[in-house]
Short mmCIF file of all heavy atoms in Angstrom, two decimals:
data_model
loop_
_atom_site.label_atom_id
_atom_site.label_comp_id
_atom_site.label_asym_id
_atom_site.label_seq_id
_atom_site.Cartn_x
_atom_site.Cartn_y
_atom_site.Cartn_z
N CYS A 29 -11.55 -11.49 30.00
CA CYS A 29 -10.54 -10.51 29.57
C CYS A 29 -9.86 -10.95 28.28
O CYS A 29 -9.61 -10.14 27.40
CB CYS A 29 -9.50 -10.31 30.68
SG CYS A 29 -10.13 -9.41 32.09
N PHE A 30 -9.55 -12.24 28.19
CA PHE A 30 -8.92 -12.76 26.98
C PHE A 30 -9.82 -12.58 25.76
O PHE A 30 -9.36 -12.14 24.70
CB PHE A 30 -8.57 -14.24 27.15
CG PHE A 30 -8.06 -14.88 25.90
CD1 PHE A 30 -6.78 -14.61 25.45
CD2 PHE A 30 -8.86 -15.72 25.15
CE1 PHE A 30 -6.30 -15.18 24.28
CE2 PHE A 30 -8.40 -16.29 23.98
CZ PHE A 30 -7.11 -16.03 23.55
N LEU A 31 -11.09 -12.90 25.91
CA LEU A 31 -12.02 -12.76 24.79
C LEU A 31 -12.17 -11.31 24.35
O LEU A 31 -12.18 -11.01 23.17
CB LEU A 31 -13.38 -13.36 25.15
CG LEU A 31 -13.42 -14.88 25.30
CD1 LEU A 31 -14.79 -15.33 25.79
CD2 LEU A 31 -13.08 -15.54 23.99
N ILE A 32 -12.26 -10.41 25.31
CA ILE A 32 -12.40 -8.99 24.99
C ILE A 32 -11.14 -8.48 24.29
O ILE A 32 -11.21 -7.79 23.28
CB ILE A 32 -12.71 -8.16 26.25
CG1 ILE A 32 -14.13 -8.49 26.74
CG2 ILE A 32 -12.56 -6.67 25.98
CD1 ILE A 32 -14.47 -7.89 28.09
N SER A 33 -9.96 -8.84 24.82
CA SER A 33 -8.72 -8.35 24.21
C SER A 33 -8.50 -8.94 22.83
O SER A 33 -8.01 -8.26 21.93
CB SER A 33 -7.52 -8.63 25.13
OG SER A 33 -7.32 -10.01 25.25
N SER A 34 -8.86 -10.21 22.64
CA SER A 34 -8.67 -10.80 21.31
C SER A 34 -9.63 -10.19 20.30
O SER A 34 -9.30 -10.00 19.14
CB SER A 34 -8.82 -12.31 21.35
OG SER A 34 -10.14 -12.69 21.67
N LYS A 35 -10.83 -9.85 20.73
CA LYS A 35 -11.80 -9.20 19.83
C LYS A 35 -11.30 -7.81 19.47
O LYS A 35 -11.34 -7.40 18.31
CB LYS A 35 -13.18 -9.13 20.51
CG LYS A 35 -14.23 -8.42 19.71
CD LYS A 35 -14.63 -9.21 18.51
CE LYS A 35 -15.80 -8.52 17.80
NZ LYS A 35 -16.04 -9.06 16.50
N ALA A 36 -10.78 -7.07 20.44
CA ALA A 36 -10.26 -5.73 20.17
C ALA A 36 -9.06 -5.79 19.25
O ALA A 36 -8.92 -4.98 18.33
CB ALA A 36 -9.89 -5.03 21.48
N ALA A 37 -8.18 -6.76 19.46
CA ALA A 37 -7.00 -6.89 18.60
C ALA A 37 -7.38 -7.25 17.18
O ALA A 37 -6.78 -6.77 16.23
CB ALA A 37 -6.05 -7.94 19.18
N SER A 38 -8.39 -8.08 17.01
CA SER A 38 -8.79 -8.48 15.66
C SER A 38 -9.42 -7.34 14.89
O SER A 38 -9.38 -7.29 13.67
CB SER A 38 -9.75 -9.67 15.71
OG SER A 38 -11.00 -9.27 16.24
N GLN A 39 -9.98 -6.37 15.57
CA GLN A 39 -10.60 -5.24 14.89
C GLN A 39 -9.57 -4.24 14.40
O GLN A 39 -9.86 -3.41 13.56
CB GLN A 39 -11.60 -4.55 15.82
CG GLN A 39 -12.82 -5.39 16.09
CD GLN A 39 -13.78 -4.73 17.07
OE1 GLN A 39 -13.43 -3.76 17.73
NE2 GLN A 39 -14.97 -5.27 17.15
N ASN A 40 -8.37 -4.30 14.91
CA ASN A 40 -7.34 -3.33 14.53
C ASN A 40 -6.48 -3.81 13.37
O ASN A 40 -5.53 -3.17 13.01
CB ASN A 40 -6.44 -3.02 15.73
CG ASN A 40 -7.18 -2.25 16.79
OD1 ASN A 40 -8.09 -1.50 16.48
ND2 ASN A 40 -6.80 -2.44 18.03
N ASN A 41 -6.80 -4.95 12.78
CA ASN A 41 -5.99 -5.49 11.69
C ASN A 41 -6.25 -4.81 10.37
O ASN A 41 -5.45 -4.91 9.46
CB ASN A 41 -6.21 -7.00 11.55
CG ASN A 41 -5.60 -7.76 12.70
OD1 ASN A 41 -4.73 -7.24 13.39
ND2 ASN A 41 -6.05 -8.97 12.92
N GLN A 42 -7.36 -4.13 10.20
CA GLN A 42 -7.68 -3.46 8.95
C GLN A 42 -7.00 -2.10 8.90
O GLN A 42 -7.11 -1.32 9.85
CB GLN A 42 -9.20 -3.27 8.81
CG GLN A 42 -9.98 -4.55 8.70
CD GLN A 42 -9.70 -5.27 7.39
OE1 GLN A 42 -9.13 -4.73 6.46
NE2 GLN A 42 -10.10 -6.53 7.34
N PRO A 43 -6.30 -1.80 7.81
CA PRO A 43 -5.69 -0.47 7.71
C PRO A 43 -6.77 0.60 7.54
O PRO A 43 -7.86 0.32 7.02
CB PRO A 43 -4.83 -0.56 6.45
CG PRO A 43 -5.43 -1.68 5.67
CD PRO A 43 -6.05 -2.62 6.65
N LEU A 44 -6.47 1.77 8.01
CA LEU A 44 -7.40 2.88 7.84
C LEU A 44 -7.46 3.27 6.37
O LEU A 44 -6.45 3.27 5.69
CB LEU A 44 -6.96 4.08 8.68
CG LEU A 44 -7.01 3.89 10.19
CD1 LEU A 44 -6.42 5.10 10.87
CD2 LEU A 44 -8.42 3.64 10.67
N MET A 45 -8.64 3.62 5.90
CA MET A 45 -8.82 4.01 4.51
C MET A 45 -9.55 5.35 4.44
O MET A 45 -10.40 5.64 5.27
CB MET A 45 -9.63 2.96 3.75
CG MET A 45 -8.88 1.70 3.46
SD MET A 45 -7.52 2.04 2.34
CE MET A 45 -6.51 0.62 2.66
N PRO A 46 -9.21 6.14 3.42
CA PRO A 46 -9.91 7.42 3.24
C PRO A 46 -11.33 7.20 2.74
O PRO A 46 -11.70 6.10 2.32
CB PRO A 46 -9.05 8.14 2.19
CG PRO A 46 -8.33 7.06 1.49
CD PRO A 46 -8.18 5.92 2.45
N THR A 47 -12.10 8.27 2.74
CA THR A 47 -13.46 8.20 2.21
C THR A 47 -13.41 7.94 0.71
O THR A 47 -12.36 8.10 0.07
CB THR A 47 -14.21 9.52 2.45
OG1 THR A 47 -13.55 10.55 1.69
CG2 THR A 47 -14.25 9.90 3.92
N GLN A 48 -14.53 7.56 0.16
CA GLN A 48 -14.60 7.28 -1.28
C GLN A 48 -14.24 8.54 -2.09
O GLN A 48 -13.53 8.46 -3.09
CB GLN A 48 -16.00 6.78 -1.66
CG GLN A 48 -16.05 6.08 -2.99
CD GLN A 48 -15.14 4.85 -3.05
OE1 GLN A 48 -14.96 4.12 -2.08
NE2 GLN A 48 -14.55 4.62 -4.19
N GLN A 49 -14.72 9.70 -1.64
CA GLN A 49 -14.40 10.95 -2.33
C GLN A 49 -12.90 11.23 -2.27
O GLN A 49 -12.30 11.64 -3.27
CB GLN A 49 -15.19 12.12 -1.72
CG GLN A 49 -14.89 13.47 -2.35
CD GLN A 49 -15.17 13.52 -3.86
OE1 GLN A 49 -16.09 12.87 -4.34
NE2 GLN A 49 -14.39 14.29 -4.58
N ASN A 50 -12.29 10.99 -1.12
CA ASN A 50 -10.85 11.21 -1.00
C ASN A 50 -10.05 10.24 -1.86
O ASN A 50 -9.01 10.59 -2.39
CB ASN A 50 -10.42 11.13 0.46
CG ASN A 50 -10.82 12.37 1.25
OD1 ASN A 50 -11.44 13.30 0.71
ND2 ASN A 50 -10.51 12.38 2.52
N LYS A 51 -10.55 9.01 -2.01
CA LYS A 51 -9.88 8.06 -2.90
C LYS A 51 -9.87 8.58 -4.34
O LYS A 51 -8.86 8.42 -5.04
CB LYS A 51 -10.58 6.70 -2.86
CG LYS A 51 -10.32 5.91 -1.61
CD LYS A 51 -11.05 4.57 -1.66
CE LYS A 51 -10.79 3.73 -0.44
NZ LYS A 51 -11.48 2.43 -0.49
N ILE A 52 -10.94 9.20 -4.75
CA ILE A 52 -11.00 9.77 -6.10
C ILE A 52 -9.95 10.86 -6.27
O ILE A 52 -9.24 10.91 -7.28
CB ILE A 52 -12.42 10.31 -6.39
CG1 ILE A 52 -13.41 9.14 -6.47
CG2 ILE A 52 -12.44 11.15 -7.67
CD1 ILE A 52 -14.88 9.56 -6.48
N ILE A 53 -9.82 11.70 -5.27
CA ILE A 53 -8.82 12.78 -5.32
C ILE A 53 -7.41 12.19 -5.30
O ILE A 53 -6.53 12.63 -6.05
CB ILE A 53 -9.02 13.77 -4.15
CG1 ILE A 53 -10.42 14.40 -4.22
CG2 ILE A 53 -7.94 14.86 -4.18
CD1 ILE A 53 -10.83 15.14 -2.96
N ILE A 54 -7.19 11.18 -4.47
CA ILE A 54 -5.88 10.54 -4.40
C ILE A 54 -5.53 9.92 -5.75
O ILE A 54 -4.39 10.03 -6.22
CB ILE A 54 -5.84 9.49 -3.27
CG1 ILE A 54 -5.96 10.18 -1.91
CG2 ILE A 54 -4.56 8.64 -3.34
CD1 ILE A 54 -6.29 9.25 -0.75
N ASP A 55 -6.50 9.30 -6.40
CA ASP A 55 -6.26 8.74 -7.74
C ASP A 55 -5.83 9.83 -8.72
O ASP A 55 -4.97 9.62 -9.57
CB ASP A 55 -7.50 8.01 -8.26
CG ASP A 55 -7.75 6.69 -7.55
OD1 ASP A 55 -6.82 6.14 -6.94
OD2 ASP A 55 -8.91 6.20 -7.61
N LYS A 56 -6.42 11.01 -8.59
CA LYS A 56 -6.04 12.13 -9.46
C LYS A 56 -4.63 12.62 -9.14
O LYS A 56 -3.88 13.00 -10.04
CB LYS A 56 -7.05 13.27 -9.32
CG LYS A 56 -8.40 12.95 -9.91
CD LYS A 56 -9.38 14.10 -9.72
CE LYS A 56 -10.75 13.75 -10.28
NZ LYS A 56 -11.72 14.84 -10.06
N ILE A 57 -4.26 12.60 -7.86
CA ILE A 57 -2.91 12.97 -7.47
C ILE A 57 -1.91 11.97 -8.06
O ILE A 57 -0.86 12.35 -8.60
CB ILE A 57 -2.77 13.06 -5.93
CG1 ILE A 57 -3.59 14.24 -5.39
CG2 ILE A 57 -1.31 13.15 -5.51
CD1 ILE A 57 -3.72 14.26 -3.88
N VAL A 58 -2.24 10.69 -7.96
CA VAL A 58 -1.38 9.64 -8.53
C VAL A 58 -1.19 9.88 -10.02
O VAL A 58 -0.08 9.76 -10.55
CB VAL A 58 -1.98 8.24 -8.24
CG1 VAL A 58 -1.30 7.17 -9.08
CG2 VAL A 58 -1.88 7.91 -6.76
N GLU A 59 -2.27 10.23 -10.69
CA GLU A 59 -2.20 10.50 -12.14
C GLU A 59 -1.34 11.73 -12.43
O GLU A 59 -0.50 11.72 -13.32
CB GLU A 59 -3.61 10.69 -12.69
CG GLU A 59 -3.66 10.80 -14.19
CD GLU A 59 -5.09 10.91 -14.70
OE1 GLU A 59 -5.98 10.21 -14.17
OE2 GLU A 59 -5.31 11.70 -15.63
N ALA A 60 -1.54 12.79 -11.65
CA ALA A 60 -0.80 14.03 -11.86
C ALA A 60 0.70 13.87 -11.61
O ALA A 60 1.52 14.55 -12.22
CB ALA A 60 -1.35 15.14 -10.98
N THR A 61 1.05 12.95 -10.72
CA THR A 61 2.46 12.75 -10.38
C THR A 61 3.10 11.59 -11.14
O THR A 61 4.29 11.31 -10.93
CB THR A 61 2.61 12.45 -8.87
OG1 THR A 61 1.88 11.28 -8.54
CG2 THR A 61 2.14 13.62 -8.02
N ASN A 62 2.32 10.92 -11.98
CA ASN A 62 2.80 9.75 -12.70
C ASN A 62 3.31 8.66 -11.76
O ASN A 62 4.23 7.91 -12.09
CB ASN A 62 3.90 10.14 -13.71
CG ASN A 62 3.37 10.99 -14.81
OD1 ASN A 62 2.34 10.67 -15.41
ND2 ASN A 62 4.04 12.09 -15.08
N TYR A 63 2.70 8.57 -10.58
CA TYR A 63 3.18 7.62 -9.59
C TYR A 63 2.89 6.18 -9.99
O TYR A 63 3.65 5.28 -9.64
CB TYR A 63 2.58 7.93 -8.21
CG TYR A 63 3.23 7.14 -7.11
CD1 TYR A 63 4.56 7.36 -6.77
CD2 TYR A 63 2.54 6.15 -6.42
CE1 TYR A 63 5.18 6.63 -5.76
CE2 TYR A 63 3.15 5.42 -5.41
CZ TYR A 63 4.47 5.67 -5.09
OH TYR A 63 5.09 4.93 -4.11
N LYS A 64 1.82 5.95 -10.72
CA LYS A 64 1.52 4.58 -11.17
C LYS A 64 2.68 4.06 -12.03
O LYS A 64 3.14 2.94 -11.86
CB LYS A 64 0.22 4.55 -11.96
CG LYS A 64 -0.20 3.18 -12.42
CD LYS A 64 -1.53 3.21 -13.14
CE LYS A 64 -1.93 1.86 -13.65
NZ LYS A 64 -3.22 1.88 -14.35
N ASN A 65 3.18 4.90 -12.92
CA ASN A 65 4.34 4.52 -13.75
C ASN A 65 5.57 4.28 -12.89
O ASN A 65 6.36 3.38 -13.16
CB ASN A 65 4.63 5.59 -14.80
CG ASN A 65 3.56 5.67 -15.85
OD1 ASN A 65 2.81 4.73 -16.07
ND2 ASN A 65 3.46 6.81 -16.49
#
Side-chain angles (χ1 to χ4, degrees):
C29 288
F30 173 75
L31 291 174
I32 290 171
S33 65
S34 66
K35 177 70 175 167
S38 69
Q39 290 177 347
N40 291 330
N41 289 340
Q42 295 292 346
L44 294 175
M45 287 295 160
T47 65
Q48 198 60 36
Q49 178 59 33
N50 285 0
K51 286 181 179 181
I52 292 168
I53 300 167
I54 294 166
D55 288 340
K56 290 179 182 178
I57 292 170
V58 167
E59 188 177 320
T61 60
N62 293 312
Y63 191 67
K64 182 177 178 180
N65 292 338

